[in-house]
Amino acid sequence: MLTFLFQYYGIDFVVADWLYRVEGNEWTLKHQLITEELLHGGGRAVSQTMGAIAIAGLIISMVWPSLRIWRRSLAYLILSVLLSTLSISTLKQLVSMDCPWDLARYGGDLPFIGLFESRPANLPDTACFPAGHASAGYAWLALYFFFAATLPRWRWLGLSVGLSMGLFFGFAQQLRGAHFLSHDLWTLMICWTISLLLAHLLLRPPSHTKTRSYSPAESGSTARNSL
């Protein structure tokens, strides 16, 4: 529904037009240090480092008996981040949509073809949808469920980390002309959905145990009880 609202009111163009105009009717931040090197290249490195820490934690939990209670949650976190980023990467290869900087409206040479429109065969294949770099941040929305299962009071911090990273990475790419706002929202929705579904599948207690564990539906009541 949000996609259709964006299309009906032209919200993507409203935002991109403003950014393009503010930058002097060209994507002047496309190759700037902060947007390209720090938030794009550096952001990817931060996400990869966080992934390496999670993997190291899982390995340690396998060889250190006192940490085995973290094993399932760490496995969930790694799998969720991996599936989120792979899903976005795969969709980018399957769906041909142009970046704003490709469009004639913004100094490029291609017409705009909407997500649900038939793409003419003479146009080149592109890979600008969904937002790939934003997924390096939004994939970490899984931290909400990870902490809800381990340290419930930290779950909102985990959610803030994932949202903040995704917003910063996504906005940096919008400033460069690499994505429309809706591209980032699709990435947010996909990453959240994957995190939620995997939490239901992997973070529920085994049926043969009587020990209560985390259920995403119970996260609100768990937090209230902890207070």
Side-chain angles (χ1 to χ4, degrees):
M1 290 300 297
L2 191 59
T3 295
F4 285 114
L5 287 175
F6 264 64
Q7 183 173 344
Y8 182 80
Y9 290 105
I11 296 176
D12 274 338
F13 288 123
V14 171
V15 175
D17 285 352
W18 182 80
L19 293 175
Y20 189 68
R21 186 169 59 252
V22 167
E23 294 182 36
N25 293 321
E26 59 179 328
W27 299 112
T28 56
L29 297 178
K30 183 177 182 179
H31 298 298
Q32 291 298 313
L33 175 64
I34 294 179
T35 52
E36 184 175 31
E37 299 296 330
L38 182 60
L39 291 177
H40 188 255
R44 184 186 298 112
V46 168
S47 183
Q48 291 172 345
T49 300
M50 291 171 63
I53 293 173
I55 293 172
L58 178 60
I59 294 173
I60 293 173
S61 71
M62 290 180 175
V63 299
W64 201 333
S66 63
L67 297 178
R68 66 178 181 272
I69 60 173
W70 290 80
R71 194 176 304 165
R72 177 183 293 197
S73 298
L74 285 167
Y76 156 78
L77 180 63
I78 295 167
L79 183 60
S80 182
V81 171
L82 181 62
L83 285 182
S84 293
T85 53
L86 285 178
S87 296
I88 298 300
S89 179
T90 300
L91 284 172
K92 284 172 65 69
Q93 303 305 316
L94 296 176
V95 180
S96 286
M97 282 196 72
D98 305 299
C99 304
W101 63 39
D102 294 322
L103 303 178
R105 184 182 185 120
Y106 304 113
D109 53 9
L110 297 177
F112 174 76
I113 307 297
L115 177 61
F116 300 108
E117 297 178 29
S118 178
R119 188 175 181 85
N122 63 320
L123 293 182
D125 290 330
T126 55
C128 285
F129 176 89
H133 186 53
S135 70
Y138 287 133
W140 291 99
L141 289 169
L143 284 171
Y144 171 81
F145 299 104
F146 169 77
F147 283 125
T150 55
L151 301 169
R153 291 185 179 181
W154 287 22
R155 73 191 192 284
W156 296 114
L157 175 61
L159 182 65
S160 299
V161 169
L163 283 175
S164 298
M165 290 174 62
L167 286 170
F168 276 116
F169 297 167
F171 187 60
Q173 290 295 80
Q174 291 179 52
L175 288 173
R176 299 180 66 229
H179 288 294
F180 286 113
L181 175 59
S182 65
H183 298 186
D184 290 336
L185 293 178
W186 270 91
T187 296
L188 168 61
M189 181 273 291
I190 293 169
C191 290
W192 176 259
T193 301
I194 291 173
S195 297
L196 175 64
L197 292 177
L198 286 179
H200 277 286
L201 291 173
L202 300 180
L203 296 182
R204 292 184 298 178
S207 58
H208 63 272
T209 179
K210 296 181 180 180
T211 303
R212 288 183 58 82
S213 182
Y214 165 71
S215 170
E218 299 174 347
S219 59
S221 61
T222 301
R224 288 192 295 271
N225 292 336
S226 67
L227 295 175

